[in-house]
Amino acid sequence: MKSTATGGAAAPVPPAPAPAPDRDTPPNARKSVTGTRKLIAAGFLLPALVLLGALVVYPIGYSVYRSFFDKSGDSFAGLGNYVEIFTDDTILTAVRNNAIWVVVAPTVATALGLIFAVLTERVRWGTAFKLIVFMPMAISMLAAGIIFRLVYEQDPNRGVANAVWVGVHDTFNESAGFPKARPLPVHPLKPGGGGSFVTKEPVRAGTPAQLPLVGVAPAKMPSDARPAAAAQPADGEVTGTAWLDFTRGGGGRPNVVDPEELGLKGIKVEAVKDGKVVASATAAADGTFSLPAAADGAQLRLPATNFREPYNGVDWLGPTFVTPAIIGSYVWMWAGFAMVLIAAGLAGVPRELMEAARVDGANEWQVFRRVTVPLLAPVLAVVMVTLMINVLKIFDLVFIIAPGSSQDDANVLALQLYRSSFGTDADLGVGSAIAVLLLLLVIPVMLFNVRRMRRETRR
């Protein structure tokens, strides 16, 4: 024997012999054990297969079959139902809206989720912010639809969206104070065109002018309006009073300033000669105003800006904005879902790559665009595909938020499927064809997702 203690090479160890087959077990017995295992596996899978067939395979097969028959289901219609899908204006609107949903909603939700995930990494209260953004996911589509139906109410006193919009608008463009005001035939005013009112006769310095109006509810008057006061004559000036010529409970006299009548505070008065404004003034809280001597012999005009209707906001649920408005409510719900998934992917991104990019001179935008986003591409693909499948089936939000007057404009395929399949004028042939179309639209997205998952598995 050669010793290895002196550094000599050790003799190779022969491989262990393979265990001899159990010759005592006959081949038929081994086959019997394998068959028994397969039967046990089939027994466990059978309930799931039965449910899958009853709830998925059979409905799909029957929908395909039913789509080739007419409304009653008695006569073969061929491709007639599919032709109607692409010729009926209402269904074409649903197809177009579905395309808008698939492109816009997942993109916006994913982009917001990415921004939130990246930014919340840099703040101490990031966890609390993520919780707040994710909370809408705990709300059902039904509840979210009811919430946003109220948010988009046209009345600014009820709808939050219009309350904010009107507030911003009125900050830069103040609304008129007396939109319903008008003179009576017995008043010294007449329509001046374009919504304005002018005095029937020219005014003179030293003779107070009277500008009475009606049509303003006392409750709508300015809160700081005071009882109207008769203007005092002034040498070289045109004075006057603009007031609400209405006494609660009756008893007032027209064209006379009564004690309980209020001044039209803030109303604008212009002196016009030969079509040109030579002077202007604004009424005080008691309705009195004063114009310089240049107004002598002019007609007084109350411009239309005093009486225009107040800005009432945007018709969010009208034909023009109903689809973007509903997409906004969807993004509110699902941006938190995107944020959580992207934040989980971001936690696994190697920080060394980002630090190396910063050391090489890249700014934060370049790090985000050239390092963070490419490394998050698989996660972004998962989020996008999931949301695309989800929006292809969108139904609840559209059905609840869109009012009846604009539901045709907000129509989507899932809603049209419901409308075509149920109700007094149901056409199950068209409804089944729409269901098959939805299936065909979902299949490419599903195949893309399966292939992507297989590629990730091979890595």
Side-chain angles (χ1 to χ4, degrees):
M1 294 180 62
K2 294 182 180 180
S3 173
T4 59
T6 58
V13 179
D22 188 357
R23 297 181 180 179
D24 296 334
T25 304
N28 292 337
R30 291 198 295 271
K31 291 181 180 179
S32 176
V33 171
T34 304
T36 302
R37 290 176 179 173
K38 290 182 178 179
L39 287 175
I40 292 173
F44 278 107
L45 291 174
L46 185 61
L49 293 175
V50 170
L51 289 174
L52 186 65
L55 300 178
V56 178
V57 178
Y58 173 74
I60 291 176
Y62 183 76
S63 295
V64 174
Y65 168 79
R66 186 65 178 83
S67 68
F68 293 105
F69 286 82
D70 64 357
K71 180 177 179 179
S72 64
D74 299 327
S75 301
F76 184 74
L79 297 176
N81 293 322
Y82 292 95
V83 172
E84 183 173 348
I85 290 177
F86 296 101
T87 55
D88 184 88
D89 290 339
T90 303
I91 302 179
L92 281 176
T93 300
V95 174
R96 184 177 67 249
N97 286 340
N98 254 99
I100 295 172
W101 271 89
V102 169
V103 173
V104 176
T107 303
V108 175
T110 304
L112 286 177
L114 176 61
I115 293 170
F116 291 155
V118 172
L119 293 182
T120 51
E121 267 205 335
R122 301 170 178 271
V123 293
R124 296 178 58 185
W125 40 270
T127 303
F129 181 83
K130 289 178 182 177
L131 178 63
I132 293 172
V133 175
F134 188 75
M135 279 180 64
M137 282 295 299
I139 302 174
S140 68
M141 286 281 195
L142 173 64
I146 294 172
I147 290 171
F148 275 88
R149 181 65 183 268
L150 295 174
V151 168
Y152 292 133
E153 274 283 349
Q154 179 69 40
D155 185 0
N157 295 320
R158 298 180 59 189
V160 175
N162 266 341
V164 174
W165 194 266
V166 170
V168 173
H169 174 274
D170 289 350
T171 300
F172 300 99
N173 188 10
E174 188 176 355
S175 295
F178 311 101
K180 303 292 184 181
R182 67 188 186 280
L184 291 175
V186 297
H187 286 161
L189 291 167
K190 64 179 181 179
S196 66
F197 300 103
V198 298
T199 55
K200 296 176 182 177
E201 301 293 337
V203 294
R204 296 296 177 184
T207 303
Q210 293 182 327
L211 305 179
L213 294 173
V214 295
V216 183
K220 298 293 184 180
M221 291 289 288
S223 58
D224 53 350
R226 296 191 305 180
Q232 299 300 317
D235 293 336
E237 293 183 354
V238 174
T239 59
T241 304
W243 81 99
L244 180 63
D245 195 12
F246 172 80
T247 303
R248 287 186 178 183
R253 295 166 296 171
N255 297 328
V256 175
V257 178
D258 295 305
E260 296 184 4
E261 295 174 348
L262 298 175
L264 297 175
K265 180 192 175 183
I267 197 167
K268 187 175 181 181
V269 182
E270 295 176 342
V272 181
K273 284 184 180 180
D274 301 324
K276 296 181 180 180
V277 177
V278 296
S280 63
T282 301
D286 60 0
T288 57
F289 61 88
S290 176
L291 294 166
D296 185 36
Q299 283 184 297
L300 298 187
R301 180 174 67 186
L302 301 177
T305 53
N306 292 312
F307 312 110
R308 67 174 182 267
E309 292 291 332
Y311 182 66
N312 205 35
V314 178
D315 187 8
W316 297 106
L317 299 182
T320 305
F321 294 107
V322 63
T323 294
I326 300 174
I327 290 176
S329 66
Y330 178 88
V331 170
W332 176 77
M333 290 190 66
W334 286 87
F337 167 82
M339 178 195 66
V340 169
L341 290 188
I342 296 171
L346 192 60
V349 172
R351 304 296 167 177
E352 309 83 48
L353 298 178
M354 298 183 184
E355 293 302 327
R358 293 188 182 99
V359 170
D360 289 340
N363 57 37
E364 291 302 321
W365 168 245
Q366 291 172 327
V367 171
F368 173 76
R369 185 165 59 92
R370 298 182 179 275
V371 179
T372 305
V373 173
L375 290 175
L376 288 176
V379 179
L380 296 177
V382 171
V383 175
M384 282 287 292
V385 170
T386 303
L387 294 180
M388 288 174 68
I389 295 172
N390 187 269
V391 299
L392 281 171
K393 304 178 294 180
I394 194 69
F395 167 80
D396 318 59
L397 289 177
V398 181
F399 183 72
I400 297 167
I401 295 177
S405 59
S406 59
Q407 199 168 86
D408 284 345
D409 300 284
N411 199 13
V412 290
L413 284 174
L415 177 59
Q416 185 59 41
L417 170 61
Y418 169 79
R419 296 169 67 178
S420 297
S421 302
F422 303 98
T424 56
D425 195 28
D427 188 337
L428 292 179
V430 174
S432 299
I434 295 173
V436 174
L437 176 61
L438 272 174
L439 176 65
L440 294 176
L441 292 175
V442 170
I443 284 176
V445 183
M446 293 294 296
L447 290 177
F448 171 80
N449 201 27
V450 170
R451 290 179 180 177
R452 184 196 58 76
M453 292 174 65
R454 286 178 177 174
R455 288 196 300 268
E456 291 295 324
T457 305
R458 292 193 191 103
R459 292 178 185 176

